[in-house]
Each structure stands twice: as structure tokens, then as C-alpha cells.
């Protein structure tokens, strides 16, 4: 699927809609939206820039020369300070306005206004700039982009994605319809245009093992349009009891490349690429993550989850992170039994849900243990008490068992969570949180942990990372390389 994409936080969406529809006389209104341009290419995927909204400026007072229910004339002389800010902060200019009559389409007058704004913008900031134009009508967004080098040329935006308490996907038309038989039953469950919304998404899956391979095959079959599989591991024989898409002959091969090839061979209508690297080590992997609308965290390392936890806020994305934990004990007959086995699905949106640090999934103790284990693999054989007393490390103990049905079930619930974000259907009990759900496979219960209410959290707190600029390094982490 072609076209650029726009991502807006729920608070910006509410602010824009309130302003654009709030004129007492029912007149058209306008607002400026400043965007951060995420145009890091991913080899094998069509070029598709993400424009992430970082500020909204209501056009009031002397911004407006004249208005009515069918037109808006703005004061172009007011733009000079905005052009300067865009240049200094490396932002792109957007112009949003309302169509009170409910027409979700651009008019000839809109063409003229956009080209007038863009000529002034490109004249000051250079022809490489872009103008993002947005229309609000009947609560729906429609958008397009004009390049400064050719103001008359228009590129449609495939969707405007609003990340509030859910993932509201405003698609730009229906495009090429999915074959009628492929997803008919899915459409019957969720209605139109659910399938087209999924098709417009670019999804990254970090980790191609037990949960990751299941998630990848499920969302490919569900109709997601673009898929990125990221994993630096090679397939091991011990993986085969709980993965999908792999065969014995694939042992020793790249998980990411093998899984991507398997999905391509299914003959579905999507584009899938592989990044054979670890997300906490590879600039290419982080760039691929930054290009996605939503990310599934299916990695079993804490350092990788730390990167994804911060990317949610820098890049304005949705994150569905899943993992398993468990414990094996010995019964009276000296036979092992499952004392505990649980799967977790955490849903983190930029302005909704406790981050993985506040949920206790990522901690400094876990990061320290993992780093020490990487330097000295023999530490994995030590019990937790010895590690704490002799090495001052918290961690260790019995590693979670790998049981295929439980791994797959956790992945199934993670993909079901994506469906619930795009088209809410769940009716959760009051003691279950949408951002943190645990599935206890031994006792057959579902519950939620209560994330910490940490207002000082450097990720999701009020003074956290939301929409922060990276300022030179990817995610401000020198280890991930300088920005191009």
C-alpha cells in the first residue's frame, strides 16, 4: 500500500477536533499542526514517511481574515515565525481545517490555499520541505502531502492514526479491496472498514521465536499490509516445539529471514521484510521500528524491551509486548511438574497505559543481570541467592519453561489485543486493566498487576519522553548511532 502516514496523540486529536468544530456560527476553522518527519527507509518496503504531530496552534484572531460555513481566508503574513520554528526544530508544517458541511474531500479552494501556504514556506525554508494538509468532516480525518519542489503535486496519506486509549485509524478511502473470500468472516465480526484499516498498517515484530513467530503468522493472515520481522538469532533445535513457520532443515538459519520467507510463501497480500539484527544493537533495526505504526515486543531480552519502551514515546507508536514466565518443581515421585506458567500481554500507548518500567517488566536489576550474563554466561548456572550474595546481582533461578500451547496462546491474545485497539470489542471486568493482562495457564485465571503510579518515571511520567526530539542519536542512545 502506498502513501504517507500521520500519527497524532489522543490529546492533540481532541484539541484539534474541539477547536475546528467549536465556532458558534458554524464557520470553517483552521489550525497549524507541526510534525516531526520520520522518513527512515526500510529496504524492501515502499517509501512511506510517518509524520508525527508534536504541536498544535489554533488559528484565531488576526490569523483569520474572513470565514463562513464554506470558506476560510487566512493571513499569510503571520507565518514567518512558524517558518523559522520549523527550520530551527527541523519540523514540517501542517494545515488542518474543518468542513462543517461534512464533505470529506478537498475542494478547489483548498488546492489554492495549500499552494499559497507552500510557496511561502518553501520560499523561506527551501524546496525540500513538505506541507501536510488535513480535513476534518463528521469526525473523520482525510489528509494529503504537497512537496515544496512541486506545490501542485499531491500525494495522498494512507491513514491518520490517532493514539489515545485505542488506535483510531482514519483511512484515506478503501484502496484495492482485499479478495472477498480471504477475510469475509473477519469482516463479519468487526464490520467495514476493519480489514482496510489493518491493511493500511505497518507493523514491526521484534523477536521471531515462540511468541514472535506466532504473532507474525497471525497478523499476516489477518491482513496487515506491511510487516517487519526483527531478530538477530539463529534457529535452534530447542525452538522447534513452540515456533511457527520453521522446519528442522532451518536449524542454524536466521530466524528473521526464514520467518519472512515463510510468510511470503503463504501467497497473502502483504509485504514482509526481515532485519537480521538485535534492536538494542542495530541502527538499522531501530530505524525500521521508527517507521512502524505499531510494534509487537516478542523478544526475551530486557535490553531490547528497554529500547521499545522508549520508542513508544519518541516515535508516537503503539506497543504490544508479550512474554512468559514459569516455575518447575519436583513432586513426591521425583517427577517435574508445572508449579507456575503464565503469559503476559502489556499494551502501552503514548498517553495510555503504564510503561514497561512502571509495569516491572523492565528494571535496572534485570538490565544489570542480563548485562552481566552476557559478559559471563556461566552465571546462568548459579542460584539467585549466590548471585545476590557474591555478585550483587538480582536475577537467576529456574528459566521459564518453553511450552508450545502456552506460548501460542499468549501470542493469540497479543494479536487479539491489536484487534481490540483498532475496533474495541472487549468488555473487561473492573479488576482487569487493558495495559497489563496475565494469563495463568496452571490455575486457569486471568488477572492484572497494578503498575506503579510513578509520576517521576522518565519514560511515561508528565516530564517524560513523549514526543521528545532525539537530538543527534537514535533514542538519545549513543550506542545506537548518530542520526543521518
Amino acid at each position: 500500500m502506498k502513501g504517507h502516514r500521520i500519527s497524532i496523540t489522543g490529546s492533540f486529536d481532541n484539541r484539534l477536533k474541539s477547536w475546528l468544530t467549536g465556532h458558534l456560527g458554524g464557520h470553517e476553522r483552521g489550525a497549524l499542526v507541526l510534525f516531526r518527519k520520520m522518513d527512515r527507509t526500510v529496504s524492501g518496503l515502499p517509501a512511506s514517511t510517518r509524520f508525527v504531530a508534536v504541536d498544535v496552534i489554533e488559528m484565531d484572531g488576526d490569523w483569520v481574515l474572513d470565514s463562513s460555513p464554506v470558506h476560510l481566508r487566512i493571513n499569510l503574513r503571520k507565518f514567518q515565525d512558524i517558518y523559522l520554528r520549523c527550520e530551527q526544530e527541523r519540523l514540517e508544517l501542517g494545515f488542518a481545517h474543518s468542513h462543517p458541511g461534512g464533505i470529506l474531500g478537498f475542494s478547489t479552494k483548498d488546492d489554492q490555499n495549500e499552494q499559497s501556504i507552500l510557496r511561502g514556506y518553501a520560499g523561506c525554508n527551501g524546496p525540500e520541505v513538505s506541507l501536510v494538509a488535513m480535513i476534518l468532516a463528521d469526525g473523520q480525518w482525510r489528509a494529503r502531502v504537497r512537496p515544496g519542489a512541486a506545490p501542485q503535486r499531491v500525494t495522498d496519506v494512507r491513514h491518520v492514526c490517532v493514539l489515545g486509549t485505542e488506535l483510531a485509524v482514519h483511512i484515506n478511502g478503501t484502496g484495492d479491496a482485499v479478495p472477498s473470500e480471504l477475510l469475509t468472516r473477519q469482516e463479519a465480526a468487526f464490520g467495514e472498514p476493519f480489514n482496510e484499516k489493518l491493511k493500511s498498517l505497518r507493523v514491526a515484530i521484534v523477536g521471531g521465536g515462540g511468541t514472535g513467530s506466532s504473532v507474525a503468522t497471525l497478523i499476516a493472515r489477518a491482513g496487515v499490509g506491511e510487516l517487519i520481522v526483527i531478530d538477530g538469532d539463529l534457529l535452534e533445535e530447542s525452538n522447534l516445539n513452540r515456533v511457527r513457520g520453521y522446519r528442522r532443515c532451518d536449524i542454524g538459519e536466521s530466524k528473521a529471514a526464514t520467518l519472512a520467507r515463510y510468510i511470503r510463501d503463504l501467497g497473502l497480500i502483504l509485504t514482509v521484510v526481515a532485519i537480521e539484527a538485535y534492536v538494542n544493537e542495530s541502527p538499522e533495526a531501530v530505524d525500521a521500528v521508527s517507521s512502524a505504526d505499531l510494534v509487537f515486543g516478542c523478544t526475551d531480552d530486557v535490553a531490547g524491551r528497554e529500547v521499545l519502551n522508549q520508542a513508544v514515546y519518541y516515535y508516537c507508536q503503539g506497543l504490544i509486548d508479550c512474554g512468559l514466565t514459569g516455575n518447575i518443581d519436583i513432586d513426591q515421585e521425583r517427577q517435574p511438574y508445572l508449579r507456575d506458567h503464565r503469559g503476559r500481554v502489556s499494551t502501552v500507548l503514548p498517553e495510555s497505559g503504564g510503561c514497561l518500567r512502571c509495569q516491572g517488566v523492565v528494571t535496572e536489576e534485570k538490565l544489570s543481570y542480563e548485562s552481566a550474563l552476557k559478559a559471563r554466561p556461566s552465571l546462568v548456572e548459579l542460584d539467585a541467592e549466590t548471585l545476590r550474595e557474591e555478585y550483587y546481582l538480582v536475577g537467576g533461578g529456574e528459566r521459564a519453561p518453553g511450552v508450545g500451547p502456552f506460548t501460542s496462546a499468549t501470542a493469540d491474545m497479543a494479536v487479539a489485543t491489536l484487534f481490540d485497539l483498532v475496533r474495541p470489542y472487549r468488555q473487561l471486568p473492573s479488576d482487569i486493566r487493558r495495559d497489563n493482562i496475565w494469563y495463568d495457564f496452571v490455575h486457569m485465571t486471568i488477572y492484572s498487576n497494578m503498575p506503579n503510579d510513578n509520576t517521576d518515571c522518565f519514560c511515561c511520567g508528565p516530564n517524560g519522553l513523549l514526543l521528545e526530539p532525539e537530538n543527534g542519536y537514535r533514542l538519545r542512545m549513543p550506542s545506537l548511532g548518530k542520526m543521518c
Side-chain angles (χ1 to χ4, degrees), residues 126-153:
E128 68 279 0
V129 300
S130 301
L131 176 70
V132 179
M134 300 173 62
I135 288 175
L136 177 68
D138 288 339
Q140 297 297 308
W141 289 110
R142 178 67 58 84
R144 62 188 185 182
V145 177
R146 292 181 184 270
Q152 73 283 354
R153 193 170 79 237

Side-chain angles (χ1 to χ4, degrees), residues 199-253:
K199 184 180 178 182
S200 78
L201 295 177
R202 177 179 292 184
V203 173
I205 299 176
V206 179
T211 53
S213 63
S214 295
V215 166
T217 54
L218 281 168
I219 64 171
R221 295 182 187 279
V224 166
E226 295 174 0
L227 179 59
I228 306 167
V229 181
I230 302 171
D231 198 319
D233 278 346
L234 304 180
L235 184 70
E236 299 179 5
E237 184 175 8
S238 61
N239 300 142
L240 290 177
N241 74 313
R242 61 189 181 278
V243 293
R244 296 182 184 178
Y246 302 109
R247 302 166 297 172
R248 177 170 291 277
C249 63
D250 297 320
I251 293 173
E253 300 294 326

Side-chain angles (χ1 to χ4, degrees), residues 24 74 79 168 208 260 274 280 315 340 376 414 425 437 450:
L24 295 179
I74 57 178
F79 277 92
N280 59 304
Y315 300 146
D340 173 41
R376 298 183 61 181
Y425 65 88
I437 301 179
M450 189 64 68

Side-chain angles (χ1 to χ4, degrees), residues 184-200:
T184 299
R185 295 189 179 187
Q186 184 168 287
E187 186 176 273
F190 297 103
E192 295 183 1
F194 179 78
N195 289 339
E196 287 297 323
K197 291 181 179 181
L198 289 186
K199 184 180 178 182
S200 78

Side-chain angles (χ1 to χ4, degrees), residues 102-125:
I103 300 174
L104 190 58
F106 291 92
S107 67
T108 301
K109 187 61 179 176
D110 293 333
D111 291 337
Q112 297 170 357
N113 288 340
E114 291 168 21
Q115 291 182 51
S116 295
I117 294 172
L118 185 52
R119 278 192 289 268
Y121 179 32
C124 288
N125 292 31

Side-chain angles (χ1 to χ4, degrees), residues 312-350:
V312 169
Y313 304 101
Y314 278 108
Y315 300 146
C316 192
Q317 299 170 304
L319 171 63
I320 301 174
D321 188 82
C322 53
L324 292 99
T325 187
N327 189 271
I328 303 169
D329 212 337
I330 303 297
D331 63 18
Q332 293 180 346
E333 298 179 355
R334 307 304 297 169
Q335 293 296 316
Y337 73 94
L338 275 179
R339 182 177 178 181
D340 173 41
H341 206 328
R342 291 166 289 143
R344 171 190 53 81
V345 178
S346 298
T347 305
V348 186
L349 298 172

